[in-house]
């Protein structure tokens, strides 16, 4: 999808809904042009992709209904449906047809003017995610598991390239694919980007071809019903889990998300989630909820052999989080507009 744009003039109060789950999400009313689309997008706390196990017609209907209940976003521990409490106004931002049209516009803009499109959460956040993830992967490659007490330590360029070239990377909801381009510049070589929008993949592939990143693979794939048949050592998510939570069945689909990611992430691999709808603690709690659910399933008589392994080895363990994002005080609580958290796959 087209990325989020944050202006330097934005105050913490104007963005307090980004990290306070008690506050209602806001939506745009009408979207008719690129400028209107950007304004409407800025009034939301996320811009990313979510998948569906339904056909396109039903997916569009569900997405429209999702926007009427987005204001009732619930904590990760509540896995009931949101369908019964619609409050928020409807917006085209939740429809796949909207994003397909948006990417057609961006693809046309690229072909006419060479523009790459927008970057989710802004360039500063992407740069932070890239450098932090690079250092984290290098530390893990050396056997240095962070103790939650500080930032990963940067290594020399030569050391980085030796370690990072061995990592296979999957970017789910890749959008225009610029995150993977930046990871490639840092020394990662086995790179795959997926998105449920064909337009996004067309744009990402066009940008990669222009910029000389022939090592990046782009595929149309829905994370909730993925067709990928391999595992990756590093899975990146910048906004996708946020968007999944806006579906009327968001709580259930978040469970599907964690189950799918747990199968795509190789043992010992790292999942890095960047979110503006969840705090670090909320993301950690959601992963723990998934772990507990898998432990409960593993104790059932009908549990499969794979499920039984989760009894002693929960799928996800909190590894570290970015501590350098600016924070602000609101209502007596300290918050940040963005959270980036890493989990280790058992």
């Amino acid at each position: 999808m087209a990325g989020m744009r944050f202006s330097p003039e934005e105050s913490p109060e104007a963005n307090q809904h980004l990290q306070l789950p008690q506050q209602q999400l806001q939506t745009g009313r009408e979207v008719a042009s690129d400028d209107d689309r950007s304004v409407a997008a800025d009034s939301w706390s996320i811009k990313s992709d979510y998948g569906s196990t339904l056909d396109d017609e039903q997916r569009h209907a569900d997405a429209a209904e999702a926007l009427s209940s987005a204001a009732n976003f619930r904590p990760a521990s509540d896995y009931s449906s949101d369908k019964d409490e619609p409050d928020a106004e409807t917006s085209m931002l939740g429809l796949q047809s909207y994003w397909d049209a948006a990417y057609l516009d961006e693809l046309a803009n690229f072909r006419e003017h060479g523009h790459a499109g927008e970057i989710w959460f802004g360039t500063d956040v992407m740069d932070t995610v890239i450098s932090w993830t690079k250092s984290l992967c290098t530390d893990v490659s050396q056997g240095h598991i962070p103790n939650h007490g500080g930032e990963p330590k940067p290594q020399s360029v030569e050391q980085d390239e030796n370690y990072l070239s061995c990592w296979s990377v999957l970017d789910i909801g890749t959008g225009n694919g610029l995150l993977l381009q930046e990871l490639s510049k840092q020394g990662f070589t086995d790179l795959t980007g997926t998105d449920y929008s064909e337009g996004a993949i067309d744009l990402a592939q066009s940008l990669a071809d222009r910029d000389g990143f022939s090592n990046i693979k782009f595929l149309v794939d829905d994370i909730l019903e993925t067709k990928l048949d391999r595992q990756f050592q590093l899975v990146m998510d910048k906004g996708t889990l946020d968007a999944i939570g806006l579906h009327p069945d968001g709580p259930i689909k978040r469970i599907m998300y964690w189950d799918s990611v747990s199968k795509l992430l190789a043992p010992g691999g790292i999942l890095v989630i960047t979110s503006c709808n969840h705090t670090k603690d909320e993301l950690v709690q959601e992963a723990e909820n998934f772990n507990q659910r898998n432990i409960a399933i593993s104790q059932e008589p009908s549990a499969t052999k794979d499920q039984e392994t989760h009894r002693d080895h929960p799928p996800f363990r909190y590894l570290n989080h970015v501590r350098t994002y600016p924070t602000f005080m609101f209502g007596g609580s300290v918050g940040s507009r963005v959270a980036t958290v890493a989990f280790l796959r058992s």
Side-chain angles (χ1 to χ4, degrees):
M1 293 185 180
M4 294 195 70
R5 295 191 296 185
F6 295 125
S7 63
E9 297 79 15
E10 287 178 323
S11 65
E13 289 75 14
N15 292 282
Q16 47 87 14
H17 68 280
L18 297 182
Q19 286 296 318
L20 297 176
Q22 293 82 6
Q23 305 300 315
Q24 292 185 343
L25 299 175
Q26 303 298 314
T27 66
R29 288 176 179 270
E30 297 180 359
V31 182
S33 67
D34 289 343
D35 289 340
D36 291 337
R37 182 158 50 238
S38 296
V39 171
D42 286 341
S43 70
W44 276 60
S45 59
I46 62 97
K47 293 179 70 176
S48 185
D49 302 323
Y50 71 91
S52 170
T53 57
L54 308 175
D55 58 31
D56 284 344
E57 182 177 353
Q58 186 62 47
R59 178 182 297 174
H60 293 173
D62 280 357
E65 188 176 357
L67 294 167
S68 69
S69 59
N72 298 293
F73 184 79
R74 295 177 180 157
S77 59
D78 186 351
Y79 289 116
S80 61
S81 174
D82 290 345
K83 287 182 178 179
D84 296 330
E85 304 174 291
D87 282 336
E89 298 175 5
T90 304
S91 168
M92 293 178 66
L93 291 172
L95 301 176
Q96 180 180 350
S97 58
Y98 168 82
W99 293 113
D100 287 342
Y103 275 124
L104 287 177
D105 288 345
E106 291 205 355
L107 191 58
N109 196 29
F110 164 73
R111 290 170 175 166
E112 292 177 14
H113 308 289
H115 295 167
E118 301 177 26
I119 297 175
W120 299 1
F121 308 138
T123 303
D124 289 344
V125 170
M126 183 174 72
D127 291 344
T128 297
V129 171
I130 294 296
S131 61
W132 183 83
T133 301
K134 171 185 175 181
S135 297
L136 182 64
C137 291
T138 302
D139 283 351
V140 172
S141 295
Q142 294 177 312
H144 303 156
I145 304 298
N147 60 3
H148 320 323
E151 293 296 305
K153 298 179 180 180
Q155 307 292 327
S156 68
V157 175
E158 293 78 8
Q159 287 178 314
D160 288 344
E161 292 180 350
N162 290 335
Y163 291 123
L164 300 180
S165 62
C166 299
W167 286 75
S168 55
V169 182
L170 173 65
D171 181 26
I172 54 178
T174 193
N176 57 19
L178 295 184
L179 181 71
L180 290 174
Q181 289 196 22
E182 294 303 316
L183 287 171
S184 181
K185 293 176 184 178
Q186 298 301 321
F188 292 93
T189 58
D190 185 353
L191 299 160
T192 301
T194 62
D195 201 297
Y196 84 117
S197 172
E198 292 187 19
I201 295 303
D202 288 344
L203 176 61
Q205 188 65 65
S206 297
L207 288 167
D209 292 343
R210 182 197 69 178
D211 299 334
F213 292 94
S214 58
N215 58 313
I216 304 178
K217 302 174 184 177
F218 292 105
L219 303 169
V220 177
D221 189 68
D222 181 347
I223 182 59
L224 298 186
E225 50 180 9
T226 181
K227 302 300 190 296
L228 300 180
D229 58 359
R230 62 171 294 193
Q231 291 185 315
F232 299 82
Q233 293 169 292
L234 174 63
V235 174
M236 304 290 294
D237 173 349
K238 189 150 65 70
T240 299
L241 181 60
D242 285 346
I244 289 174
L246 296 179
H247 192 276
D249 293 323
I252 298 300
K253 290 184 178 296
R254 289 201 300 268
I255 296 177
M256 295 169 60
Y257 166 94
W258 286 97
D259 185 63
S260 182
V261 170
S262 71
K263 295 173 182 176
L264 291 171
L265 191 59
I270 298 174
L271 168 65
V272 176
I273 299 178
T274 298
S275 169
C276 64
N277 264 6
H278 303 78
T279 65
K280 168 255 182 180
D281 290 340
E282 288 170 340
L283 290 171
V284 171
Q285 183 60 56
E286 184 156 355
E288 180 59 25
N289 290 342
F290 179 76
N291 288 341
Q292 293 302 318
R293 177 177 175 273
N294 275 271
I295 291 174
I297 292 175
S298 70
Q299 295 173 343
E300 297 177 357
S302 59
T304 65
K305 186 174 181 180
D306 288 341
Q307 291 171 333
E308 289 177 354
T309 62
H310 294 159
R311 187 176 306 167
D312 300 318
H313 302 284
F316 294 102
R317 177 167 70 86
Y318 164 70
L319 188 60
N320 209 342
H321 72 279
V322 171
R323 294 170 169 82
T324 57
Y325 291 132
T327 59
F328 62 89
M329 180 73 72
F330 183 85
S333 300
V334 177
S336 173
R337 292 168 57 185
V338 181
T340 297
V341 185
F343 298 92
L344 186 68
R345 179 70 166 89
S346 299

